[in-house]
Amino acid sequence: MCWALHPLGDPKKEYCHQLGMGKPLGMGAVKLEAKLYLTDRYKRYTTLFAGDRWQTGAAAEGETLSDRSILERRIEAFEAHVLEELGLKETCKHLSEVQRIAMLLKMMEWPGYPPVPGSKNLYLGEEGRPNTRYMTIRPNEFEDRPVLPDPSAFGELTGTAVPSSGDTNEKVQKKMDGRMTGASTPSAEDVRRSIKALRGKGEVSKIPEIVAKMEQMADDVERRACAKELEQWLVDHRLWGKKPHAESPWHQKIARWLS
């Protein structure tokens, strides 16, 4: 969140967020001046008063994120983690050195790219015309729209590092596969814990999720034991075999595992 509010880029440049409409006219450019307030939750909920005031647990002074030294300290772990995931930890110190982040920062620069006198490029500016504006209908500029160049055409970027896409994609895919397969297979203890956490009849809506976990269990014997325990909970709450639950897919699966 700190990085999103105050993107860490070139210290000589300012970056603005673009909000709302009118962007081609320079409208909606907002520079944020955020402060970070940390809250000690333990202190807040174990002490009622702080002197003659309520104990909120909040630090008395906020940390100004526009202070680059504070911002770097707060986002250091985040940047290191992302760069490691991208395989760029050895070559980059900050996210601004990654090409796609550098392009984002280029688009957020304020006041933006200055007009270039004599340029014939619609977007880089022509003499006597601002470098950002809406296209016109008369004359109809929508008929032959020139392709907007990428941000690197508007000046030097803060970085050009590119993730090794093959390795990164493979790494991400392995993580996703792990979540879908054995790495995330719930144990019988996980399922029993979910069943014990159920309270009254009002929590019957949580049962489809529990049944979905049971479907992923590898051991048929343990699944049947969990199904028996869930059936007992339903019986105790007078829900087993009662409409409309008896016609639901999760009820039929439990019955099948018990047969």
Side-chain angles (χ1 to χ4, degrees):
M1 183 176 289
C2 290
W3 195 99
L5 293 173
H6 281 270
L8 187 69
D10 187 337
K12 298 178 182 178
K13 296 182 178 179
E14 292 192 64
Y15 300 99
C16 288
H17 294 265
Q18 305 295 328
L19 306 178
M21 300 177 67
K23 297 182 184 67
L25 302 178
M27 298 172 65
V30 179
K31 183 183 178 184
L32 301 179
E33 294 285 351
K35 277 192 174 183
L36 174 67
Y37 291 89
L38 301 178
T39 301
D40 185 332
R41 295 288 178 177
Y42 181 82
K43 181 187 292 186
R44 177 178 181 179
Y45 293 112
T46 55
T47 309
L48 186 59
F49 298 106
D52 58 351
R53 298 186 177 186
W54 295 111
Q55 175 60 268
T56 65
E61 297 292 333
E63 298 181 10
T64 304
L65 296 180
S66 56
D67 184 322
R68 191 178 178 91
S69 62
I70 293 176
L71 181 63
E72 285 186 337
R73 176 167 54 84
R74 284 297 174 192
I75 67 175
E76 181 180 6
F78 167 70
E79 287 194 305
H81 172 71
V82 175
L83 291 172
E84 183 177 10
E85 291 295 309
L86 295 176
L88 296 173
K89 190 175 182 179
E90 301 301 322
T91 57
C92 299
K93 183 179 179 181
H94 296 294
L95 286 176
S96 59
E97 298 171 52
V98 181
Q99 186 182 63
R100 55 189 173 186
I101 298 298
M103 288 187 175
L104 170 65
L105 292 172
K106 175 58 66 177
M107 291 188 289
M108 295 179 69
E109 282 183 14
W110 182 260
Y113 193 80
V116 180
S119 171
K120 298 302 180 182
N121 189 305
L122 173 66
Y123 295 102
L124 295 184
E126 293 181 10
E127 189 173 3
R129 184 174 68 192
N131 70 334
T132 59
R133 64 178 177 84
Y134 282 106
M135 289 192 293
T136 62
I137 297 178
R138 295 176 182 170
N140 191 350
E141 295 179 328
F142 291 89
E143 287 183 348
D144 185 24
R145 289 180 292 175
V147 178
L148 182 69
D150 68 52
S152 62
F154 296 85
E156 186 177 355
L157 299 177
T158 56
T160 57
V162 178
S164 51
S165 58
D167 294 341
T168 303
N169 289 339
E170 183 180 355
K171 188 175 182 180
V172 171
Q173 188 60 49
K174 285 182 178 179
K175 287 186 176 181
M176 293 302 295
D177 291 344
R179 294 192 186 105
M180 298 296 291
T181 58
S184 61
T185 301
S187 65
E189 186 58 34
D190 292 333
V191 174
R192 288 193 176 96
R193 194 179 299 115
S194 298
I195 296 173
K196 290 178 180 178
L198 294 172
R199 302 306 177 195
K201 292 183 178 181
E203 295 200 319
V204 69
S205 60
K206 296 182 179 180
I207 291 181
E209 181 181 346
I210 297 175
V211 172
K213 287 183 179 180
M214 293 166 63
E215 278 190 292
Q216 298 176 44
M217 294 174 64
D219 193 312
D220 292 338
V221 175
E222 288 187 338
R223 182 191 293 114
R224 189 178 190 282
C226 290
K228 185 66 179 175
E229 191 168 330
L230 185 53
E231 178 202 30
Q232 187 59 52
W233 185 90
L234 291 164
V235 169
D236 292 343
H237 290 82
R238 298 181 180 179
L239 297 173
W240 181 253
K242 303 292 184 180
K243 291 184 178 182
H245 308 303
E247 300 172 355
S248 64
W250 60 260
H251 191 288
Q252 295 170 14
K253 289 175 183 177
I254 295 173
R256 185 172 71 249
W257 292 332
L258 292 173
S259 62

